[in-house]
């Protein structure tokens, strides 16, 4: 949409929001009557709603950064999914997929239920709680408004749900190799996803209307609505997984027979034959059966019928719910007599008091806790998946799920939106006598108290069959420590991605559950730490693996939790002013960024190796580059999230002065290398060879030449960007430059631990020390020139020289 | 009690407040007038330490606003949207604020009770705030802002959206506060309120103070007519085409004697 387009009542939206760039037309009413076409009006509403939504959810920049990181971290999963889909497609194309059609029929209802659940959960967000409420007072017709809101929502859903589904199905169809199936399956997938989501909307709105008619209190209403949805999705998932028993048995790409895991008998409902449409044009389906065609017609017909019903139904919720809920007598009158004061001991302490009131506010407005349904659904799925594995005892499955739920709830209940949750009160907290840290501690405390029973009961259940008493104590102790850590991470993530930026919102702030992205990031990190730590505590592995792994888990937990806590405290303490430098936070950030880079280099490498159809030396080179892409993502994400802008990149043509530092840096780098080689041979000290050596031995001259290019043009620039331009720079803002160089050098050496992993700690130390010295030289050169090109060239020349010597000596 | 010295706030290219000099004596009411978007709220933000000035500085109750911890015990602040938790009753809200303000429990409860009665909320104090009208919310916000008996009180549009009777309650309460020695910085564009309450009036226009003085002085000096009103003053000095307004910024129209 351009600004010139006639926007019905868009001007109102702009004035209330202040986001004047979103919509411009001010003289609206006559334009709306005279007549933009309905399509233009729908588009305009969709645009205004999205612009307003983005405006209200201000942390767009940080969100983007987090999405990049999550994508890089999940790349192996995506790769597996895509290859799995492609592989299945190939087998279908080759006529080797007996039983797949039946399996697909059994699973289709479960997939539909997923979409319906998502639709029902999200329905009220956009259709009832939409941003551009002023449009209700204009001449825009209700139909146009509903359709505009739907368009806005579907444009967003394309990224989250519908798009990925269509992509996976398309990849599958490409694997199957017939043009017919590509077209048929993609259309079938899109139609089904859209129709199911629309049906979900309808279900969600209908349930809401029905519950309102039933005259229940708002608390019961929220509870019934929410649990109903969770029940539907868990039951259907249970149906799909249990009947097919595939949750535990399928692995992509292997040649397991589909027939073996397909249940006998006809699929549960006739709609299941819709699955046949995904296979039209493959050996599995020649001409789709009548039931499939009928299902197709039904699904396609659902779209207009749902739209029509939504247009009719949605406005009822607008007008009935807009005023204050005066009919809710139980909610409007305080449930507590005024004298109840301080009867509980924790209320004597300010932190305990604030924690208590924070929880109390959440409980009284249950719509604030609607997001907890996602945890319930996820845990329900975990239980179902666990039950599908006959080897796992029921009690242990429930125990594991409870632990998971507890770790999530520790941060998820009141931690994930600490600023948006306070709303207009935030400034009063800033001006209060109580220290900013107290408010953050209160949320951490509340989360921990809520979550700990789940964690402990869950661990106890795991101890019944799965864990020995000693292991249970170890794991229980670890998880008990992880619970407050999870809460602390949540307040950090929540402060990074506030749902609304308080102080900029002009109207009353009501229920604002946290960003789903914040839930996802917090949920993923905590569950990985919980599962990783617990497994390492009980698993049968060599002490070095166990200790090394536990050290990494402990470091990551402490860094993430403490930096999250500090970030949240600083968000309050430094509200409205620049953040005060915090050396410990800066150190944690440096370590955290290095750890993140390490993790992303691993995941991107794995993902790309899985995705790329190359083998041998080529695969090594691809993986080599992919690893550095992972490192780079960590740095780029930080620069983006911190809002440094383009000029944060210190790249200039070297001056004559830079040249002198360049020569000095190169000479001293090579000298360090020579000295180390000499010292090692004279003293006969143990060293560890870089993992690259074996590849150099195996590869031919062309491979080595490519390697030369890569260490110069990929390795050096990326490492210098992350470690010098990002990490050292960030440290130097807070601590003296000398210390910044030293800390960065140590961190730089330590992240090379994986490529020099060895059982001999002396050899590792001997190998890593020169790296730290080199990093210090490059860091010093960078701090003097403030030009990334200089240390990059030093680093690159060093890489080439050392690789060249290595090659010459082999 | 309030001294601003060259207070300036720029958001990117937009200058919200431009080299503002202010002086408010203890126990007086300063009426801060200005059209929408003149920079009133930004000024209050800077004086309450919530907004960092781009240039210049200010002291409130004897402490520089750069030192938030020193300033915050002495000030009360009611923003244009009353900062209350909808899920609380008024009594719970005030108990919460008393706790985070570190007030002595019995003293605060007694004071809250008295103030609630004073603004006519005694009967509704145990109802949840989300059932309140805009005026009731505003009153809870006001009581909350003065609960700790601050030396300086900042009020941003305190009578916004109130019916005449509710507005009267609020105006009377403010008047009574200054009798007890509180300094009040009152931002509004509702002229009768200022006319009645303010000892000194400052008119802010496009980030600059374009007129300052007692209401009587302003009406006498700014307009030539004998029986002018504050409204005419306001319209004159905030008129972009007016010869008076175009003389500023930098040079302020100060009708007071010898100031």
């Amino acid at each position: 949409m351009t600004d010139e387009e006639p926007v019905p009542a868009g001007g109102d939206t702009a004035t209330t929001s202040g986001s004047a760039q979103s919509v411009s037309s001010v003289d609206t009413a006559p334009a709306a009557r005279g007549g933009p076409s309905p399509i233009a009006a729908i588009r305009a509403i969709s645009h205004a709603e999205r612009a307003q939504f983005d405006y209200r959810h201000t942390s767009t920049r940080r969100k983007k950064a987090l999405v990049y990181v999550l994508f890089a971290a999940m790349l192996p999963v995506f790769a597996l999914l895509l290859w799995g889909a492609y592989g299945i497609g190939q087998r279908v194309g080759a006529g080797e997929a007996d039983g797949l059609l039946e399996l697909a029929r059994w699973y289709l209802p479960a997939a539909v239920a997923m979409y319906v659940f998502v639709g029902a959960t999200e329905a009220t967000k956009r259709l009832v709680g939409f941003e551009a409420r002023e449009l209700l007072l204009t001449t825009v017709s209700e139909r146009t408004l509903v359709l505009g809101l739907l368009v806005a929502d579907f444009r967003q859903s394309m990224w989250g749900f519908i798009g990925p589904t269509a992509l996976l199905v398309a990849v599958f169809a490409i694997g199957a190799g017939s043009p017919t199936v590509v077209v048929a399956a993609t259309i079938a997938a899109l139609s089904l996803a859209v129709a199911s989501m629309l049906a979900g909307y309808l279900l969600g709105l209908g349930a809401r209307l029905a519950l309102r008619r039933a005259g229940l209190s708002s608390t019961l209403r929220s509870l019934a609505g929410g649990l109903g949805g969770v029940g539907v999705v868990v039951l259907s998932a249970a149906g799909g997984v249990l009947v097919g028993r595939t949750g535990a048995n399928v692995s992509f790409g292997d040649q397991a027979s589909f027939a073996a895991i397909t249940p006998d008998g006809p699929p549960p409902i006739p709609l299941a034959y819709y699955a046949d449409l995904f296979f039209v044009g493959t050996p599995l389906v020649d001409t789709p059966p009548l039931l499939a065609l009928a299902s197709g017609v039904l699904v396609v017909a659902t779209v207009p019928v749902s739209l029509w019903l939504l247009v009719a139904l949605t406005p009822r919720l607008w007008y009935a719910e807009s005023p204050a809920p005066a009919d809710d007598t139980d909610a409007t009158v305080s449930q507590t007599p005024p004298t109840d004061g301080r009867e509980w001991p924790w209320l004597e302490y300010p932190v305990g008091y604030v924690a208590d009131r924070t929880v109390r506010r959440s409980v009284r407005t249950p719509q604030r806790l609607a997001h907890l349904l996602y945890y319930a659904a996820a845990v329900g799925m975990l239980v179902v998946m666990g039950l599908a594995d006959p080897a796992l005892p029921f009690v242990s499955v429930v125990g594991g799920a409870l632990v998971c739920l507890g770790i999530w709830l520790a941060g998820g209940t009141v931690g994930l939106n600490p600023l948006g949750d306070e709303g207009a009160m935030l400034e009063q907290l800033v001006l209060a006598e109580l220290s900013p840290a107290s408010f953050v501690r209160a949320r951490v405390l509340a989360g921990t108290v809520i979550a700990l029973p789940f964690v402990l009961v869950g661990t106890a259940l795991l101890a019944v069959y799965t864990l020995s008493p000693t292991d249970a104590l170890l794991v229980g102790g670890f998880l008990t420590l992880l619970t407050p850590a999870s809460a602390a991470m949540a307040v950090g993530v929540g402060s990074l991605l506030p749902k609304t930026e308080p102080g900029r919102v002009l109207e009353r702030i009501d229920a604002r559950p946290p960003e789903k992205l914040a839930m996802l990031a917090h949920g993923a990190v905590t569950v990985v730490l919980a599962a990783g730590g617990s497994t390492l505590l009980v698993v049968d592995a060599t002490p070095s693996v166990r200790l090394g792994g536990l050290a990494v888990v402990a470091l990551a937990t402490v860094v993430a939790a403490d930096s999250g806590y500090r970030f949240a405290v600083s968000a309050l303490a430094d509200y409205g002013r620049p953040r005060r430098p915090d050396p410990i936070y800066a150190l944690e950030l440096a370590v955290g960024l290095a750890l993140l880079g390490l993790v992303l280099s691993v995941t991107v490498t794995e993902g790309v190796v899985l995705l790329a159809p190359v083998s041998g030396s080529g695969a090594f080179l691809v993986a080599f580059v992919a690893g550095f892409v992972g490192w780079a993502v960590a740095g780029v994400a930080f620069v983006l999230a911190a809002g440094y802008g383009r000029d944060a990149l210190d790249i200039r043509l070297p001056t004559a002065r830079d040249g002198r530092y360049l020569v000095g840096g190169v000479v001293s780098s090579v000298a360090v290398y020579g000295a180390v080689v000499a010292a090692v041979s004279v003293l006969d000290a143990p060293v560890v060879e870089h993992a690259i050596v074996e590849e150099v031995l195996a590869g031919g001259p062309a491979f080595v030449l490519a390697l030369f290019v890569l260490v110069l043009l990929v390795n050096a620039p990326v490492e210098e960007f992350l470690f010098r331009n990002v990490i050292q720079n960030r440290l130097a803002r807070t601590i003296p430059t000398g210390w910044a160089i030293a800390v960065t050098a140590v961190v730089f050496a330590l992240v090379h631990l994986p490529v020099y992993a060895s059982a001999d700690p002396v050899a590792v130390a001997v190998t890593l020390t020169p790296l730290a010295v080199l990093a210090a030289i490059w860091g010093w050169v960078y701090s003097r020139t403030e030009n990334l090109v200089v240390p990059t060239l030093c680093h690159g020349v060093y890489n080439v020289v050392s690789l060249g010597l290595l090659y010459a000596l082999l | 009690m309030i001294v601003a010295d060259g207070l300036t706030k720029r958001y990117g290219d937009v200058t919200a407040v431009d080299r503002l000099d202010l002086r408010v004596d203890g126990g007086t009411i300063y009426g801060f007038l200005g059209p929408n978007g003149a920079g009133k709220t930004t000024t209050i933000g800077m004086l309450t330490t919530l907004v960092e000035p781009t240039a210049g500085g200010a002291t409130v109750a004897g402490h520089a606003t750069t030192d938030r911890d020193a300033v915050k015990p002495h000030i009360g602040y009611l923003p244009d949207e009353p900062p209350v938790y909808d899920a609380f009753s008024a009594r719970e809200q005030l108990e919460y604020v008393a706790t985070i303000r570190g007030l002595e429990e019995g003293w605060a409860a007694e004071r809250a009770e008295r103030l609630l009665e004073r603004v006519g909320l005694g009967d509704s104090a145990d109802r949840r705030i989300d059932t309140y009208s805009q005026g009731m919310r505003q009153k809870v916000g006001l009581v909350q802002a003065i609960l700790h008996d601050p030396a300086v009180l900042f009020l941003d549009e305190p009578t916004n959206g109130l019916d005449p009777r509710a507005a009267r309650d609020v105006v009377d309460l403010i008047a009574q506060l200054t009798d007890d020695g509180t300094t009040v910085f009152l931002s509004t564009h509702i002229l009768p309120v200022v006319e009645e309450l303010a000892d000194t009036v400052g008119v802010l226009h496009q980030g600059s103070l374009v007129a300052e003085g007692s209401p009587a002085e302003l009406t006498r000096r700014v307009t030539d007519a004998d029986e002018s009103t504050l409204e005419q003053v306001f319209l004159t000095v905030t008129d972009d085409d007016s010869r008076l307004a175009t003389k500023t910024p930098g040079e302020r129209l100060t009708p007071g004697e010898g100031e």
Side-chain angles (χ1 to χ4, degrees):
Chain A
M1 195 198 90
T2 64
D3 279 353
E4 285 74 37
E5 238 173 293
V7 183
D12 298 55
T13 324
T15 17
T16 40
S17 72
S19 64
Q21 79 285 4
S22 62
V23 268
S24 65
S25 157
V26 179
D27 49 337
T28 52
R33 282 209 197 282
S37 72
I39 299 291
I42 288 169
R43 279 182 56 207
I45 289 169
S46 160
H47 178 87
E49 170 72 8
R50 283 161 50 84
Q52 176 81 341
F53 192 82
D54 285 348
Y55 170 76
R56 286 284 290 270
H57 303 73
T58 41
S59 45
T60 324
R61 189 164 38 78
R62 294 164 173 175
K63 265 196 278 182
K64 254 188 220 163
L66 198 54
V67 166
Y68 294 155
V69 168
L70 282 175
F71 183 79
M74 302 283 284
L75 201 60
V77 177
F78 297 140
L80 272 178
L81 283 174
L82 284 177
W83 271 121
Y86 185 75
I88 292 174
Q90 277 185 318
R91 288 170 66 183
V92 168
E96 296 168 359
D98 283 348
L100 180 62
L101 182 59
E102 286 72 26
L103 193 65
R105 286 177 186 159
W106 274 92
Y107 259 92
L108 190 101
V112 170
M114 274 301 291
Y115 279 110
V116 171
F117 169 72
V118 171
T121 317
E122 299 291 305
T124 50
K125 178 191 77 185
R126 187 84 80 176
L127 288 178
V128 179
F130 58 100
E131 307 283 347
R133 297 195 75 91
E134 295 82 8
L135 291 172
L136 287 178
L137 305 174
T138 67
T139 54
V140 173
S141 76
E142 286 169 351
R143 191 187 55 143
T144 310
L145 188 48
V146 173
L147 293 179
L149 294 174
L150 280 174
V151 170
D153 209 42
F154 269 79
R155 284 184 62 175
Q156 198 180 341
S157 302
M158 278 309 284
W159 290 101
F161 302 102
I162 301 175
T165 306
L167 180 69
L168 274 183
V169 171
V171 167
F172 152 80
I174 292 169
S178 121
T180 322
V181 71
V182 175
V183 175
T186 311
I187 292 178
L190 276 175
S191 319
L192 188 69
V194 171
S196 318
M197 293 254 307
L198 281 175
Y201 281 6
L202 209 51
L203 188 73
L205 294 185
R208 206 164 155 153
L209 265 181
L211 285 169
R212 179 184 293 173
R213 289 281 159 82
L216 298 175
S217 75
S218 68
T219 316
L220 280 176
R221 221 192 278 160
S222 310
L223 205 65
L227 290 183
V230 173
V232 167
V233 73
V234 171
L235 275 180
S236 56
V241 174
L242 283 182
V243 175
R245 289 193 310 280
T246 52
N249 301 339
V250 157
S251 58
F252 289 109
D254 71 2
Q255 297 299 308
S257 161
F258 292 112
I261 52 174
T262 303
D264 301 324
I269 52 171
L271 179 69
Y273 284 95
Y274 187 86
D276 290 29
L277 298 177
F278 291 90
F279 300 96
V280 174
T282 69
L284 286 180
V285 176
D286 238 354
T287 42
L290 203 58
L291 266 175
L293 290 175
S295 306
V297 171
L298 180 71
V299 165
V300 172
T302 304
V303 175
V305 172
S306 304
L307 283 179
W308 183 76
L309 283 170
L310 281 173
V311 167
L313 211 58
T314 310
R316 291 190 188 201
L317 280 158
W318 295 342
Y319 297 113
E321 209 162 59
S322 298
D327 57 324
D328 275 342
T329 39
D330 67 317
T332 56
V333 178
S334 168
Q335 284 107 344
T336 48
T339 48
D340 80 332
R342 314 261 161 124
E343 75 274 40
W344 301 103
W346 61 81
L347 297 179
E348 296 296 334
Y349 304 94
V351 171
Y353 176 84
V354 174
D356 179 89
R357 297 300 138 130
T358 308
V359 174
R360 187 175 290 205
R361 278 193 289 125
S362 293
V363 172
R364 282 191 197 167
T365 41
Q367 60 270 35
R368 260 176 206 279
L369 298 174
H371 65 284
L372 297 187
L373 289 176
Y374 281 95
Y375 293 130
V379 167
M381 301 282 275
L382 275 183
V383 171
V384 167
M385 301 274 271
L387 290 181
D389 186 347
L392 283 175
F394 175 72
V395 177
S396 300
V397 170
V398 173
L402 278 183
V403 166
C404 222
L405 184 64
I407 292 293
W408 284 334
L409 287 182
T413 32
V414 292
L416 275 176
N417 192 20
L419 304 177
D421 216 21
E422 297 292 348
M425 271 296 282
L426 185 68
E427 294 185 333
Q428 302 291 316
L429 303 193
V430 172
L431 294 178
E433 284 297 280
L434 206 54
S435 73
S438 305
F439 294 103
V440 178
R441 276 186 214 138
R443 283 178 188 268
V444 172
L445 175 69
T448 308
V449 169
I450 289 169
L452 216 46
F454 289 93
V455 172
L456 292 180
V457 170
T459 315
L461 290 181
L462 280 172
V464 175
Y465 289 115
T466 308
L467 295 178
S468 72
T470 326
D471 287 348
L473 277 180
L474 278 175
V475 171
F478 166 69
L479 292 172
T480 304
L481 292 177
L482 189 62
T483 307
S486 162
M489 286 177 217
V491 290
V493 176
S495 306
L496 188 70
L497 301 175
K499 184 66 180 227
T500 45
E501 201 88 63
R504 296 178 61 182
V505 181
L506 295 170
E507 72 250 55
R508 279 166 62 173
I509 300 169
D510 39 26
R512 295 260 167 214
E515 292 280 1
K516 278 198 231 29
L517 190 61
M519 290 178 73
L520 188 66
H522 169 257
V525 170
T526 50
V527 86
V528 164
L529 289 175
S534 306
T535 311
L536 282 166
L537 278 172
V538 301
V539 80
D540 198 19
T542 60
S544 63
V545 169
R546 273 181 73 167
L547 285 179
L550 284 173
V552 171
V553 168
L555 182 69
T557 307
V558 168
V559 165
D562 193 60
S563 61
Y565 170 77
R566 283 170 188 276
F567 187 82
V569 170
S570 161
L572 266 179
D574 301 331
Y575 177 86
R577 51 186 61 195
R579 299 207 166 207
R580 274 169 292 189
D582 177 351
I584 296 181
Y585 177 72
L587 287 177
E588 287 169 346
L589 200 58
V591 174
L593 274 172
L595 277 177
L596 182 67
L598 198 57
V599 168
L600 293 186
S601 76
V602 171
T603 57
V604 174
T605 307
E606 291 298 316
V608 169
V609 166
L610 280 167
L611 274 175
V614 284
S615 57
S617 297
F620 179 83
L621 293 178
V622 169
F624 187 83
V625 174
F628 286 106
V629 171
W631 287 106
V633 169
V636 170
F638 175 75
V639 170
L640 195 61
Y644 285 165
R646 272 168 215 279
D647 52 340
L649 200 60
D650 288 329
I651 293 184
R652 284 174 281 105
L653 272 181
T655 61
R657 179 173 173 276
D658 290 350
R660 288 197 288 281
Y661 279 100
L662 176 60
V663 173
V666 168
V667 169
S668 49
S669 303
V670 175
V672 167
Y673 182 72
V676 169
V677 170
V680 165
S681 66
V682 168
L683 299 174
D684 199 18
V687 287
V688 190
E689 296 288 9
H690 192 289
I692 211 171
V693 171
E694 286 177 27
E695 297 295 331
V696 174
L697 280 172
F703 171 77
V704 174
L705 188 64
L707 214 50
F708 271 112
V709 175
L710 291 183
V711 293
L712 185 64
L713 295 183
V714 175
N715 177 323
V718 168
E719 287 194 344
E720 290 306 305
F721 162 68
L722 178 63
F723 285 93
R724 249 56 71 185
N725 202 343
V726 174
I727 293 182
Q728 182 179 315
N729 245 0
R730 176 63 183 81
L731 279 171
R733 285 171 178 229
T734 312
I735 60 177
T737 310
W739 282 106
I741 294 174
V743 169
T744 311
V746 171
V747 172
F748 180 80
L750 286 180
V751 297
H752 283 79
L753 205 50
V755 286
Y756 294 111
S758 157
D760 182 2
V762 178
V764 172
V766 169
T767 316
L768 292 187
T769 309
L771 270 186
V773 175
L774 286 167
I777 292 174
W778 300 332
W780 180 76
V781 169
Y782 171 63
S783 78
R784 301 294 297 187
T785 59
E786 295 184 347
N787 186 355
L788 196 61
V789 175
V790 181
T792 303
L793 282 175
C794 294
H795 190 160
V797 170
Y798 163 80
N799 279 350
V800 168
V801 168
S802 58
L803 185 66
L805 271 175
L806 186 72
Y807 188 63
L809 291 177
L810 285 172
Chain B
M1 287 304 268
I2 304 174
V3 180
D5 183 15
L7 215 48
T8 302
K9 181 66 187 179
R10 278 187 285 275
Y11 295 102
D13 298 337
V14 182
T15 302
V17 176
D18 191 13
R19 285 167 293 165
L20 182 69
D21 295 324
L22 270 182
R23 195 183 170 80
V24 181
D25 294 329
T28 61
I29 300 186
Y30 189 90
F32 199 42
L33 286 177
N36 297 325
K40 300 194 295 292
T41 301
T42 304
T43 304
I44 291 191
M46 288 191 283
L47 293 177
T48 51
T49 80
L50 293 168
V51 174
E52 163 137 277
T54 316
T59 57
V60 172
H63 301 280
T65 53
T66 45
D67 187 357
R68 179 178 287 163
D69 286 345
V71 171
K72 65 188 187 185
H74 304 292
I75 60 170
Y77 172 38
L78 174 63
D80 51 356
E81 165 67 15
V84 288
Y85 292 126
D86 284 347
F88 279 172
S89 69
R91 199 167 266 127
E92 288 172 318
Q93 171 77 25
L94 294 176
E95 182 194 278
Y96 185 83
V97 170
T99 307
I100 66 172
R101 281 276 184 192
L103 306 181
E104 200 267 311
E105 204 181 312
W107 179 85
E110 193 265 335
R111 181 168 163 86
E113 209 55 45
R114 203 153 34 83
L115 287 168
L116 283 172
E117 287 297 336
R118 173 76 177 71
V119 296
L121 283 179
D123 294 338
S124 342
D126 287 320
R127 261 172 52 203
R128 265 171 57 167
I129 292 177
D130 57 7
T131 66
Y132 281 16
S133 68
Q134 175 67 22
M136 293 163 81
R137 296 167 66 85
Q138 195 81 27
K139 286 174 178 175
V140 177
L142 182 63
V143 170
Q144 161 180 323
I146 60 177
L147 188 62
H148 56 301
D149 196 13
V152 185
L153 180 60
F154 293 91
L155 302 172
D156 198 351
E157 309 285 5
T159 55
N160 224 5
L162 301 190
D163 64 47
R165 184 174 299 281
R168 174 49 49 196
D169 287 347
V170 166
V171 166
D172 287 348
L173 183 56
I174 295 171
Q176 193 199 335
L177 284 171
T178 42
D179 294 343
D180 302 341
T182 308
T183 309
V184 179
F185 192 85
L186 174 68
S187 153
T188 184
H189 50 235
I190 299 177
L191 298 171
V193 170
V194 179
E195 208 143 30
E196 176 181 340
L197 285 176
D199 299 302
T200 313
V201 176
V203 184
L204 193 70
H205 181 50
Q206 293 178 350
S208 301
L209 212 49
V210 291
E212 194 178 45
S214 75
E217 285 168 344
L218 278 186
T219 48
R220 197 169 59 237
R221 301 289 284 273
V222 172
T223 55
D224 301 331
D226 282 342
E227 293 180 14
S228 63
T229 62
L230 205 52
E231 184 181 357
Q232 283 165 314
V233 176
F234 183 87
L235 292 176
T236 311
V237 298
T238 59
D239 181 357
D240 288 334
D241 300 330
S242 138
R243 73 197 146 78
L244 287 168
T246 46
K247 270 196 211 163
T248 54
E251 172 195 355
R252 185 194 306 171
L253 183 79
T254 310
E257 289 86 286
E259 201 204 16

